[in-house]
Amino acid sequence: MPNCPTDLDQSMLSCFQRCPRNFQWRYTRHLIPLEESLPLVFGTAWHKALEAYYITYDTERALEAFALEWGNREGEANRNLDVARRMLQARAKQFKDDYIQVISRESTFAVDMGLFTLRGRRDGLCSIKGKGQVWVLEFKHSARAPNFNWLETYRPDNQLYAYVFATQQEFNCNGALVEYALAHPSKANCHRGLIEVSNLEIADFVDSVKATYDYMKERFRQNYFPMHPSACSAYRGCEYRHLCTHPGMVEAISEAEFQIKPYNPPGVEVK
């Protein structure tokens, strides 16, 4: 029987909240699909591009960083090297960065929550002219165009709250500067906005995380992880659906469609 982990990041917590059975497949059985997720790979490369940009403030250097991470993949209509180039060009036209001072680029954190350690990796920290505090830098991308109130889709957002909460352990931080980039071959553009997070929102987040961990411990004690059917047909579907619907074929499906890859939260050494 596996032990309940004592190092968790928000990806693990959100996965468990969404569907404990999904959590079991990914984080206790360590299964990931053989076919890589292009949105995930593109997102990682986009983060590398922006990290490079905030070192050099040079769009070409940012594109080089993207290409290095992207490799020789052809991609798809909305996610490829040319789309990344268009996104960076659109970003350069739309944003002026003279009011932002980057304090740190991508960095890990660890917060003692009592029974477990909350870990994570922030995209960066910055200060903003006239705001007088530290802000979390958060990079987002999507192939879906944002609506007029796109910024409100990140409230509530436990990942963002985790970053703000962790930063508050070191700095005076009340929110995040969010960059949202649209990945599109002809309509690539970027949006930027500030999200101020209240003390009540942080308190609710902390209570939610601790309650989730209490429930997680119980699931591990019973060695039973229930399936949440609503997660089966969520956006992009669930990659583990066949494992749940064909319990007699778990080993065969695992071998044919998945590989074993243990996950370690940021800052935890690979064992």
Side-chain angles (χ1 to χ4, degrees):
M1 182 186 302
N3 296 319
C4 187
T6 54
D7 289 288
L8 295 145
D9 64 9
Q10 192 53 51
S11 294
M12 299 171 71
L13 289 164
S14 294
C15 178
F16 185 84
Q17 290 169 332
R18 185 169 60 252
C19 179
R21 184 75 55 80
N22 186 298
F23 178 94
Q24 181 187 31
W25 297 128
R26 177 62 188 96
Y27 298 109
T28 68
R29 295 287 297 267
H30 308 300
L31 298 175
I32 65 168
L34 288 172
E35 185 177 341
E36 67 181 1
S37 166
L38 271 179
L40 183 60
V41 175
F42 189 92
T44 299
W46 181 247
H47 277 67
K48 293 294 184 182
L50 292 187
E51 185 179 359
Y53 175 80
Y54 277 113
I55 294 174
T56 63
Y57 291 91
D58 185 320
T59 297
E60 287 304 314
R61 291 292 178 88
L63 184 61
E64 290 172 7
F66 180 95
L68 184 64
E69 184 72 25
W70 183 250
N72 59 2
R73 298 175 179 87
E74 290 186 9
E76 56 189 14
N78 287 340
R79 293 181 175 93
N80 55 56
L81 183 60
D82 185 59
V83 168
R85 179 184 292 106
R86 292 171 185 269
M87 291 165 67
L88 286 167
Q89 290 171 345
R91 186 185 178 284
K93 291 179 180 178
Q94 290 175 253
F95 295 155
K96 299 291 185 182
D97 293 313
D98 55 351
Y99 70 97
I100 297 174
Q101 180 180 357
V102 176
I103 298 171
S104 73
R105 284 164 283 278
E106 187 176 275
S107 61
T108 60
F109 61 81
V111 180
D112 184 358
M113 303 296 289
L115 296 177
F116 67 97
T117 300
L118 177 64
R119 296 183 178 273
R121 180 179 287 110
R122 293 168 295 220
D123 292 333
L125 299 175
C126 70
S127 62
I128 299 172
K129 259 183 201 178
K131 293 296 182 181
Q133 61 178 327
V134 173
W135 296 80
V136 171
L137 261 177
E138 176 67 355
F139 306 138
K140 303 283 190 181
H141 98 280
S142 176
R144 295 185 294 179
N147 57 28
F148 71 95
N149 65 339
W150 68 273
L151 203 57
E152 287 304 307
T153 62
Y154 299 107
R155 176 177 279 121
D157 184 292
N158 281 348
Q159 184 182 61
L160 195 64
Y161 292 169
Y163 298 160
V164 173
F165 171 65
T167 304
Q168 288 178 341
Q169 311 310 304
E170 305 175 69
F171 304 100
N172 177 21
C173 174
N174 292 324
L177 176 66
V178 180
E179 285 196 13
Y180 181 104
L182 174 63
H184 192 281
S186 62
K187 300 178 182 178
N189 61 63
C190 298
H191 302 263
R192 179 185 277 172
L194 284 175
I195 294 181
E196 296 191 32
V197 180
S198 69
N199 292 335
L200 177 60
E201 287 173 299
I202 293 297
D204 287 344
F205 162 75
V206 171
D207 286 346
S208 171
V209 165
K210 289 183 175 180
T212 297
Y213 189 70
D214 287 341
Y215 182 54
M216 183 185 293
K217 286 192 302 177
E218 182 64 18
R219 294 298 97 216
F220 272 89
R221 187 184 69 80
Q222 295 185 12
N223 196 25
Y224 174 65
F225 299 82
M227 179 181 69
H228 288 178
S230 61
C232 298
S233 57
Y235 178 62
R236 289 189 175 273
C238 176
E239 61 266 44
Y240 301 108
R241 187 170 184 172
H242 289 165
L243 293 171
C244 296
T245 55
H246 298 85
M249 300 177 62
V250 166
E251 296 307 319
I253 295 173
S254 297
E255 186 174 341
E257 299 182 15
F258 296 88
Q259 59 181 308
I260 295 177
K261 187 176 181 180
Y263 178 83
N264 288 286
V268 177
E269 292 184 6
V270 177
K271 297 180 181 178

